[in-house]
Amino acid sequence: MFSPQKRELIVGGLSSAVSVFCLLLAFSIESVFGSTFEMRMLPVFLSGTMVLISVMVILKAVNMPKELLVSQEEVQIMRAATGRMFGVVIVGLIYVWLFYALGYILATAISMYLVMIVLGNSNHYKIALTAILSAIIYQFIFMGFFGFYDPVGRLIDLSALSEFLS
Amino acid sequence: MIDLFGGFVNLFTNFEALLFVLFGAFVGMVAGALPGLTASAAIAMLLPLSYHLDALSALAFLYVIGKSGRYGGSIAAILFNTPGTAASAATMQDGYPMTRRGEAGKALKTATIASVFGDYWGEIILIFGAVLIASVTRTFGPTEYFAIYVMAFVVIGSVVGESVMKGIMSTLFGGFVALIGMDTITGETRMTMGVFELDEGLSLVPLLIGVFVISEIMAQTYVSFTSSAKNELRLIRQDPASKMTWQEFRSCVPLMSRSALVGSFIGMMPGLGSSVACFVAYGEEKRRSPRSEEWGTGIVEGIAAPESANNAVSGPSMIPLLTLGIPGSTIAAVLLGVFLIHGITVGPQIFDNSNSRELVFSLFAAGLVGITAYGFIGYFFGPWIGQVIARVPNRILYSFIFLTAIIAAYSSRASIVDIFIALLFGVIGFCMRVGNFSAAAFVIAFVLARNAEEAFRQSLMLSDDGILIFIKEPVALAFLLVGFSVMLFRVVKPLLSR
């Protein structure tokens, strides 16, 4: 499943996709002066070179060995681990939405609960307690002590509780 | 010397700065000792705190974290056979066998003494070297600066990883991402894709948090699920009372001095960091040693050499930053950001202005105090810190790191979009790791690219011959040649060795 060649081809393919996206983005810059000192000059050069290098990565990958790096069983473990790993990112995205909808303290408590599960904790009682306590502590330190801006949740307004804990 | 004395006076009369130096020594050591978490990650998470501090406290805090973080890596390397940072990978080879023999106390104390020795050495080279080099680079204009930026990009991209192509690619990508937002010369926005929050460009804090912290959490999640390495992170029996004898120390002094010199030289080179220094020093001292066959079996020399070298990198890695405005490492890149946040332009002119000169010498003093502080804490409490870390499971630890990373990303501009950016760059950072791209080259290029573009466009405006100005100016041409020679050497060397 995962030969060095296949891995490098995937890396090269992804790099190419990112590079082409960057190149298109660079070409989207409108000309202001119409001279050689345009502000798209460097972005186009950088992204163009990225495209060239990513093609070179693919070309190099073509000559690499095709033997499998890992067994099928290991691949299954890796797949499961990858799912768990991206679970962290998904919890992060949920956090962003919760922060917007419910405010900092509630978003922190819920996200802490979720991320602890994703990271492999299993005692739900302890997780819930840790999540609540850590949300209170984080609220006190960052919003209260350091005075970071604490926006009001769009769906639930817990500003009275936040102010009390801060 | 008078400036340095003034720096000490300035530091000791600023209670907040002094407190943050001591705090930084402790925090950096703990962060370095946590397997996976680097000093750069700790700095990224704590960077938003610097907004609430005066310039000296902020810079001293982060600078000392960088120093003690390098040392802290040795605790994990010696006790758990897992390098806390890449810089301590060589220390494992003799550190862990000593721990298995019940000599963890001696190994840790040797690492502490060698780290402090190397770090002092590097700091002294920084103090005298920076002022000397700045007197030469003071005359440079935009043409020379652009050439230096190009040299830095090419050298860092070429030497920082295993693959030159991927290193250069990382540099180009970092540079490209930095150009998103308002163009400094025309005032027009570019490549923002209609996202209002990107008008001022991407903020350094969420980007750093994504690349260094979120990607690390992802990596730790992956590792803890696919292997039992985490479960093996148990503290093996140790005897904290065992320590380096006076005879052993004396025999290590010449070796530590040579390794510190190697580390200092490597530290001055942009892109070459502690991880290179430790292996070069280890290899060289093993080669010179009359009992080279004992290296790797657990001898104090095998700890003293890499630890002295990797910590000696710390000070000199600031020389390119203070003399040219070019960070030679990710920690220096972050410090450049902190200088800018406090309205201080970094470069040779930093020594011209009396206020910024005073600040820089106070930072040097903070570095020396920080070394003393982590040396003291490490010598007496290193084994205890190791024991505490061994008892906290990664699944708990990284949950809190996740929460801290999120709030740190948010706090830089009080923007929820920055959390999203941190997550995005977390995924990008993880993909870069998997694909063997260089996060360090990416971050350094991100920090430098805007200045490079400005220098490039200013040079073209000054030039009558367009782009040929970079060839006609001898200093600029020399820098460009150095950069491309290094790249050529890196490309050709493997071909010749086949």
Side-chain angles (χ1 to χ4, degrees):
Chain A
M1 171 111 190
F2 280 98
S3 66
Q5 186 193 49
K6 189 166 184 178
R7 204 192 69 167
E8 280 305 292
L9 281 174
I10 293 170
V11 168
L14 275 174
S15 308
S16 302
V18 171
S19 306
V20 170
F21 175 73
C22 291
L23 190 62
L24 292 174
L25 210 56
F27 273 117
S28 73
I29 302 169
E30 285 178 24
S31 172
V32 175
F33 294 127
S35 69
T36 48
F37 308 131
E38 284 179 22
M39 60 181 184
R40 71 175 169 189
M41 199 169 170
L42 206 56
V44 168
F45 172 75
L46 293 176
S47 50
T49 317
M50 280 167 66
V51 172
L52 281 178
I53 294 178
S54 52
V55 170
M56 284 162 72
V57 171
I58 293 174
L59 289 176
K60 197 180 170 190
V62 172
N63 296 321
M64 291 180 96
K66 294 177 181 175
E67 297 87 46
L68 292 183
L69 278 178
V70 290
S71 67
Q72 201 61 37
E73 191 184 348
E74 284 171 313
V75 169
Q76 282 178 342
I77 297 171
M78 284 161 73
R79 275 188 183 152
T82 306
R84 191 173 276 251
M85 189 180 68
F86 281 98
V88 173
V89 180
I90 291 166
V91 172
L93 293 174
I94 293 170
Y95 197 150
V96 172
W97 186 81
L98 290 174
F99 199 162
Y100 174 80
L102 310 176
Y104 179 70
I105 187 164
L106 213 51
T108 302
I110 296 169
S111 304
M112 183 64 167
Y113 184 87
L114 294 175
V115 85
M116 286 185 86
I117 289 173
V118 169
L119 288 172
N121 296 281
S122 53
N123 186 328
H124 288 267
Y125 173 72
K126 277 187 185 171
I127 295 172
L129 196 67
T130 311
I132 293 167
L133 285 176
S134 52
I136 292 169
I137 293 166
Y138 273 69
Q139 174 75 30
F140 174 74
I141 294 174
F142 292 101
M143 302 304 175
F145 187 70
F146 288 112
F148 294 157
Y149 173 60
D150 188 4
V152 175
R154 297 294 170 100
L155 296 182
I156 300 174
D157 181 2
L158 286 177
S159 52
L161 176 67
S162 301
E163 277 171 29
F164 171 73
L165 291 171
S166 303
Chain B
M1 284 304 285
I2 293 168
D3 283 317
L4 187 61
F5 180 73
F8 273 110
V9 171
N10 200 18
L11 178 69
F12 282 104
T13 50
N14 185 338
F15 182 70
E16 186 185 65
L18 196 59
L19 200 70
F20 272 96
V21 166
L22 301 177
F23 185 46
F26 179 74
V27 169
M29 196 189 303
V30 173
L34 290 170
L37 201 67
T38 60
S40 303
I43 288 175
M45 282 192 289
L46 293 165
L47 185 55
L49 289 189
S50 68
Y51 301 152
H52 301 266
L53 303 175
D54 64 274
L56 177 59
S57 304
L59 286 164
F61 180 45
L62 300 177
Y63 183 48
V64 172
I65 289 177
K67 282 183 170 299
S68 57
R70 280 191 179 92
Y71 159 68
S74 65
I75 296 176
I78 290 168
L79 296 181
F80 313 135
N81 202 27
T82 307
T85 59
S88 52
T91 309
M92 273 186 339
Q93 300 186 38
D94 281 275
Y96 192 64
M98 284 182 76
T99 298
R100 289 179 72 91
R101 286 205 306 261
E103 294 177 339
K106 182 192 262 191
L108 285 171
K109 286 181 170 79
T110 305
T112 310
I113 291 167
S115 299
V116 169
F117 185 93
D119 218 342
Y120 271 131
W121 192 293
E123 197 70 9
I124 288 164
I125 287 176
L126 164 69
I127 293 166
F128 293 103
V131 180
L132 200 71
I133 297 170
S135 63
V136 178
T137 58
R138 194 173 280 138
T139 53
F140 289 175
T143 313
E144 287 82 5
Y145 266 104
F146 178 69
I148 290 168
Y149 286 129
V150 172
M151 181 195 76
F153 289 151
V154 173
V155 170
I156 291 167
S158 306
V159 303
V160 84
E162 288 172 20
S163 159
V164 177
M165 277 196 299
K166 289 178 178 175
I168 297 283
M169 181 91 172
S170 311
T171 311
L172 293 169
F173 187 44
F176 183 87
V177 169
L179 299 179
I180 293 171
M182 191 177 288
D183 174 40
T184 44
I185 292 180
T186 62
E188 296 283 326
T189 56
R190 57 183 167 179
M191 303 187 289
T192 58
M193 295 167 280
V195 180
F196 169 73
E197 280 82 1
L198 292 179
D199 281 0
E200 287 179 21
L202 285 162
S203 175
L204 179 65
V205 176
L207 185 126
L208 283 175
I209 285 171
V211 170
F212 290 119
V213 187
I214 303 286
S215 69
E216 183 57 43
I217 298 172
M218 291 171 73
Q220 287 294 331
T221 314
Y222 187 86
V223 169
S224 66
F225 196 78
T226 52
S227 75
S228 57
K230 174 177 65 77
N231 301 324
E232 289 164 7
L233 201 83
R234 290 196 196 96
L235 199 59
I236 291 178
R237 69 195 167 88
Q238 56 173 296
D239 174 19
S242 70
K243 57 186 172 188
M244 198 182 195
T245 62
W246 174 245
Q247 201 178 2
E248 282 171 329
F249 173 73
R250 265 200 333 195
S251 70
C252 280
V253 169
L255 167 148
M256 289 193 294
S257 305
R258 284 192 300 270
S259 301
L261 267 180
V262 167
S264 301
F265 181 74
I266 288 173
M268 280 186 260
M269 306 289 120
L272 292 177
S274 312
S275 47
V276 176
C278 69
F279 280 107
V280 171
Y282 187 90
E284 177 57 20
E285 290 305 326
K286 185 181 176 184
R287 190 186 63 80
R288 291 177 69 106
S289 173
R291 44 192 196 123
S292 59
E293 69 286 349
E294 289 176 35
W295 284 61
T297 61
I299 56 171
V300 287
E301 288 88 344
I303 297 173
E307 280 305 307
S308 177
N310 71 28
N311 285 279
V313 166
S314 171
S317 71
M318 292 286 284
I319 290 179
L321 177 68
L322 294 174
T323 58
L324 298 165
I326 292 173
S329 63
T330 43
I331 292 169
V334 176
L335 288 179
L336 173 61
V338 180
F339 271 111
L340 295 175
I341 286 165
H342 290 278
I344 301 156
T345 309
V346 187
Q349 62 277 23
I350 202 165
F351 293 102
D352 295 341
N353 180 300
S354 61
N355 285 338
S356 53
R357 188 183 175 93
E358 188 183 274
L359 175 70
V360 170
F361 276 94
S362 303
L363 185 62
F364 292 161
L368 292 170
V369 173
I371 298 166
T372 313
Y374 82 66
F376 179 82
I377 301 170
Y379 194 86
F380 293 103
F381 303 105
W384 179 77
I385 289 171
Q387 279 176 344
V388 172
I389 287 170
R391 285 189 185 130
V392 181
N394 272 7
R395 60 179 190 274
I396 305 278
L397 193 68
Y398 278 90
S399 303
F400 283 97
I401 289 173
F402 174 79
L403 276 198
T404 312
I406 294 283
I407 186 66
Y410 167 75
S411 62
S412 67
R413 291 193 293 195
S415 167
I416 294 176
V417 173
D418 279 344
I419 303 177
F420 180 76
I421 289 170
L423 293 169
L424 177 69
F425 278 95
V427 177
I428 291 173
F430 183 78
C431 292
M432 285 175 77
R433 278 171 189 233
V434 174
N436 286 331
F437 290 94
S438 166
F442 171 78
V443 168
I444 293 172
F446 175 81
V447 172
L448 289 181
R450 278 185 173 262
N451 290 343
E453 188 192 28
E454 211 174 305
F456 176 64
R457 286 158 74 176
Q458 281 174 351
S459 303
L460 288 185
M461 283 173 192
L462 292 171
S463 169
D464 295 326
D465 306 309
I467 207 159
L468 291 177
I469 191 172
F470 300 111
I471 298 169
K472 285 186 174 174
E473 293 284 340
V475 177
L477 180 65
F479 280 121
L480 290 175
L481 285 176
V482 168
F484 287 103
S485 304
V486 170
M487 186 174 72
L488 204 65
F489 176 73
R490 280 280 285 143
V491 172
V492 171
K493 195 186 164 196
L495 297 176
L496 292 177
S497 60
R498 271 181 199 170

